[in-house]
Amino acid sequence: MAHAQKVSVEYSLGMSKPSTHLMEIEVTYNNLSSGDATVDLILPVWRSGRYVVFDFAGGIQDFSAVDGSGKSLPWSKTDKTTWRIQKKGVAKITARYSMFANEFNARTKGLNDEHLFVDPMSSFMLIEKHRNLPLTITIKPFGNWHVTTGLDPVKGATNKFAAPSYDYFADSPIEVGTQKEWEFDVDGKKHVLMIAGEGNYDAAQIVKDLTKIVEAHKEFWGTLPYERYIFMVHLMANPSGATEHINSNVFDFRPLVFKNPDAYRGFLGTEVHEFFHTWNVKQLRPKGINPYTFMKENYTEELGVAEGFTDYYTGVLMTRSGFTKLMQFLDALANDIRGDRERPGNLKQSLAESSFDAWIKFWRNSEESVNYEADYYGKGSNVAQLLDLEIRQRSKNKYSLDTVIRTMFEKFPLSGTGYTLADLRKVSEEYSGGSLKEFFDNYVYGTKPLDWEQYLSYAGLNLASRDTVAKPWLGIFAGGDRLRVFRVLAGSPAYEAGINVGDEIVALNGYRTNANDLNNRPAEMKEGEKVRLSVFRDDRLRDVEVTLKNRPIPAYKVEKVKEPTELQKSIFESWLKTTW
Ligand SMILES: [Zn+2]
């Protein structure tokens, strides 16, 4: 009575020759319906947290399929990422394949002679209609390697883990190697700091600081929505960020900068960002990505909330917890405001569009991105800042964005269908006592410049220029050993003169130059003066004449006003948990 039994799903993962970068993967489905002549195994085309199509199927080799007695089953591909197996009524099928895995930097899949890391969405096939069934995975570590994962171990078995569904599995990365682990408790929940690779870190200090971070989040959100949480750290030469998961995060960081206070503060800041995601995006999830669509882009206008609001609270919680000093927070804010006003793309693309088009713009970052795109991280963080101050001002500091985001978390559980920007507006209006149509039309759906002066005044802050007079500039950013241009701002003097991204600058007015000179020398000249830039483009030397203009946006400072009102004072103090 085959179909009286429930379909069950078992994966296995092997790594017998790590230096080949080939993972050995098997998936078995038991008790499949005998009525189906074929079954489709699919592999997702993207992974959570990075909204771009990777096409993981390109890494598959040596695919085969067998039935319960080991007999080969014919199969064919029906598109780039679907394998159709002629199962001829059998109840059990096993598919086997190798997956080439050598992209640790993308936090998708990697295997080398030191360790294995895999985000399951990048490598494990599934039958879509069975995505909600519980599953197990048996891992066969190489040599003396061991496994670290947020998946639950199966009692009585070795290296066997369980997930309640493929979706949960998809959000539970796996590390296998000689990584070190430190376990600590906060609020009765287990937490693990895992570090793979060597470095000059102080594990006891990191555990102490992570404990403080977890406590700050418990206070903010009111609950820790997991039984056990893993902070996975990879120490590597060329790290490129971090990714949030359901009860873990993966963070690639440089090995030898832990003694540098600013770098270490950056380390903790990224941990705050990723940990904040445990609530904002892993539980409180935009409608467009709940549930995930595996086979194509998942369109959503809410990444400004998922990422930008998370960035905003990273700065706020780092300051409230004392990791960032008040002056550092205000200086960073002043820099952000200059960046916001200097980015031409902010006048062309709205925050909602930046999110929707993340798949073809933000994550396909090009030299023109700064000129025609907003950035849902930076712009989202800035909009969060303004919305927070707006709600505090309107409610006489009775409510804030903290109240709104916590309410959203309670109102839109992961088991529901997700939230939209309209839901965010509605909840924000409930706590600000009136319409926020104009705010959302201007700053979320529109491209109106953010009115920083007005909003900062609600917290008794004043935005002022650091320079007494405007200074000329080129409008380019360049760096590296060969001083290559990596950004040319639309409308700037260099843009008008035809300087391109990729140009290698060798001299300014006939003299060798460096990245500092490129800013400082024009700043000492006058608007309207001409400078000659000598650049290599495509290995050919050429001179470009640039007519200097004044840099339109000054360097800012954010300062407290001399005589704050009671409301300004109370907003400032409760926003940053400080005293005026
Ligand atoms: Zn993030």
Side-chain angles (χ1 to χ4, degrees):
M1 303 305 280
H3 53 259
Q5 287 175 283
K6 266 193 162 170
V7 175
S8 70
V9 194
E10 295 160 28
Y11 290 91
S12 82
L13 168 64
M15 56 207 81
S16 61
K17 292 193 188 76
S19 63
T20 62
H21 316 296
L22 290 171
M23 300 190 296
E24 298 130 16
I25 295 175
E26 266 186 30
V27 54
T28 296
Y29 280 86
N30 295 295
N31 308 320
L32 289 169
S33 156
S34 55
D36 295 339
T38 65
V39 67
D40 285 353
L41 279 173
I42 62 162
L43 185 66
V45 299
W46 68 290
R47 67 134 171 99
S48 72
R50 189 173 286 200
Y51 305 97
V52 67
V53 168
F54 278 93
D55 285 333
F56 300 118
I60 303 273
Q61 301 179 14
D62 299 328
F63 182 91
S64 67
V66 295
D67 66 14
S69 64
K71 204 168 132 256
S72 275
L73 295 171
W75 57 273
S76 59
K77 284 190 74 174
T78 59
D79 65 28
K80 65 181 180 181
T81 198
T82 304
W83 286 255
R84 179 162 295 166
I85 299 165
Q86 307 292 326
K87 77 175 193 57
K88 303 169 180 169
V90 299
K92 176 177 177 179
I93 62 150
T94 296
R96 297 193 177 96
Y97 52 94
S98 301
M99 171 60 99
F100 184 77
N102 196 20
E103 50 179 29
F104 286 99
N105 262 316
R107 289 176 298 289
T108 51
K109 53 197 165 64
L111 170 63
N112 62 21
D113 60 7
E114 294 189 349
H115 66 140
L116 174 148
F117 171 80
V118 63
D119 176 320
M121 230 164 136
S122 77
S123 298
F124 294 92
M125 295 182 187
L126 72 148
I127 297 174
E128 174 104 44
K129 71 172 175 185
H130 295 312
R131 66 188 282 174
N132 293 322
L133 295 177
L135 60 89
T136 61
I137 176 167
T138 303
I139 299 170
K140 301 161 195 160
F142 175 76
N144 64 347
W145 292 5
H146 68 276
V147 181
T148 307
T149 176
L151 295 167
D152 288 328
V154 173
K155 279 202 181 79
T158 308
N159 291 322
K160 189 171 179 181
F161 302 87
S165 64
Y166 184 92
D167 290 55
Y168 190 95
F169 180 47
D171 237 322
S172 306
I174 297 164
E175 174 82 15
V176 190
T178 56
Q179 67 275 12
K180 295 196 177 88
E181 281 165 36
W182 294 265
E183 210 171 83
F184 56 103
D185 277 28
V186 186
D187 202 50
K189 301 272 173 91
K190 290 243 174 298
H191 297 75
V192 177
L193 164 65
M194 180 213 95
I195 300 184
E198 290 173 3
N200 65 349
Y201 56 84
D202 175 348
Q205 184 63 44
I206 299 176
V207 164
K208 207 173 134 196
D209 292 335
L210 289 178
T211 301
K212 215 165 146 186
I213 286 170
V214 175
E215 285 166 351
H217 281 78
K218 170 77 201 302
E219 194 190 323
F220 185 94
W221 293 101
T223 172
L224 300 176
Y226 51 80
E227 287 311 309
R228 182 167 162 268
Y229 188 92
I230 301 171
F231 296 88
M232 292 184 171
V233 179
H234 289 152
L235 298 179
M236 54 167 75
N238 295 301
S240 65
T243 302
E244 68 279 7
H245 290 283
I246 198 131
N247 61 1
S248 60
N249 79 71
V250 193
F251 181 8
D252 300 343
F253 194 65
R254 288 172 293 165
L256 299 173
V257 296
F258 284 90
K259 307 284 181 216
N260 174 321
D262 285 336
Y264 184 62
R265 193 161 62 87
F267 174 87
L268 295 178
T270 300
E271 287 294 12
V272 169
H273 177 110
E274 300 310 327
F275 193 57
F276 195 84
H277 273 314
T278 310
W279 294 261
N280 186 25
V281 92
K282 292 289 99 166
Q283 299 288 329
L284 170 63
R285 208 174 280 192
K287 193 172 180 189
I289 53 170
N290 191 24
Y292 299 142
T293 301
F294 292 126
M295 299 284 274
K296 63 181 182 68
E297 292 82 353
N298 294 219
Y299 296 106
T300 168
E301 292 187 322
E302 287 78 22
L303 295 180
V305 181
E307 289 299 343
F309 282 35
T310 298
D311 255 359
Y312 170 62
Y313 276 109
T314 300
V316 167
L317 292 179
M318 285 288 285
T319 308
R320 287 182 190 168
S321 307
F323 293 119
T324 296
K325 294 192 176 65
L326 189 58
M327 267 320 292
Q328 291 171 315
F329 178 85
L330 296 179
D331 284 348
L333 180 57
N335 271 334
D336 287 348
I337 296 171
R338 185 187 222 187
D340 168 52
R341 290 188 166 166
E342 214 160 60
R343 186 179 176 101
N346 280 340
L347 298 175
K348 295 207 170 187
Q349 189 192 47
S350 72
L351 182 58
E353 275 178 90
S354 164
S355 168
F356 191 87
D357 273 343
W359 302 84
I360 52 168
K361 291 197 171 186
F362 184 85
W363 286 103
R364 300 277 188 206
N365 188 33
S366 84
E367 61 199 59
E368 258 298 89
S369 297
V370 69
N371 291 330
Y372 67 59
E373 291 171 33
D375 143 26
Y376 62 78
Y377 284 81
K379 178 81 182 272
S381 170
N382 292 336
V383 169
Q385 171 71 84
L386 266 52
L387 185 56
D388 194 5
L389 292 172
E390 174 84 13
I391 297 165
R392 287 177 188 273
Q393 169 75 10
R394 288 213 209 172
S395 68
K396 304 244 175 326
N397 205 30
K398 204 168 160 207
Y399 303 113
S400 67
L401 191 60
D402 301 12
T403 334
V404 168
I405 196 89
R406 268 195 301 265
T407 305
M408 295 281 292
F409 168 67
E410 283 155 19
K411 265 184 96 141
F412 298 95
L414 184 55
S415 54
T417 55
Y419 72 94
T420 62
L421 287 175
D423 294 319
L424 174 71
R425 182 179 143 192
K426 197 159 161 268
V427 174
S428 301
E429 285 174 343
E430 279 163 26
Y431 289 106
S432 44
S435 172
L436 285 166
K437 181 178 187 311
E438 209 183 319
F439 184 97
F440 275 73
D441 283 352
N442 287 341
Y443 301 142
V444 177
Y445 300 111
T447 57
K448 190 170 182 198
L450 306 182
D451 190 350
W452 286 103
E453 284 81 355
Q454 174 71 25
Y455 283 92
L456 289 180
S457 75
Y458 298 159
L461 295 174
N462 187 33
L463 184 66
S465 168
R466 278 186 194 278
D467 300 321
T468 45
V469 289
K471 291 175 178 168
W473 76 324
L474 293 165
I476 52 175
F477 297 87
D481 293 345
R482 300 177 88 176
L483 201 56
R484 274 187 199 280
V485 176
F486 59 82
R487 185 173 284 179
V488 185
L489 293 185
S492 68
Y495 185 89
E496 297 303 332
I499 292 288
N500 284 183
V501 166
D503 286 351
E504 185 185 327
I505 300 182
V506 289
L508 190 155
N509 285 344
Y511 283 85
R512 187 188 294 281
T513 183
N514 60 36
N516 283 334
D517 284 352
L518 274 185
N519 282 321
N520 297 339
R521 283 164 61 187
E524 290 161 359
M525 298 168 78
K526 287 202 168 51
E527 188 168 45
E529 269 189 74
K530 292 183 191 327
V531 300
R532 181 165 45 94
L533 290 181
S534 306
V535 307
F536 273 112
R537 184 181 300 166
D538 205 18
D539 279 354
R540 191 157 57 84
L541 188 65
R542 58 164 87 195
D543 282 346
V544 180
E545 192 179 73
V546 183
T547 305
L548 294 179
K549 282 194 286 188
N550 284 338
R551 187 169 184 166
I553 310 298
Y556 290 116
K557 52 187 171 183
V558 174
E559 300 169 318
K560 291 189 228 173
V561 298
K562 295 267 168 341
E563 286 169 16
T565 64
E566 275 312 305
L567 181 58
Q568 284 176 321
K569 228 168 110 174
S570 91
I571 288 179
F572 181 83
E573 292 185 340
S574 58
W575 165 37
L576 296 172
K577 276 225 170 83
T578 182
T579 49
W580 180 268

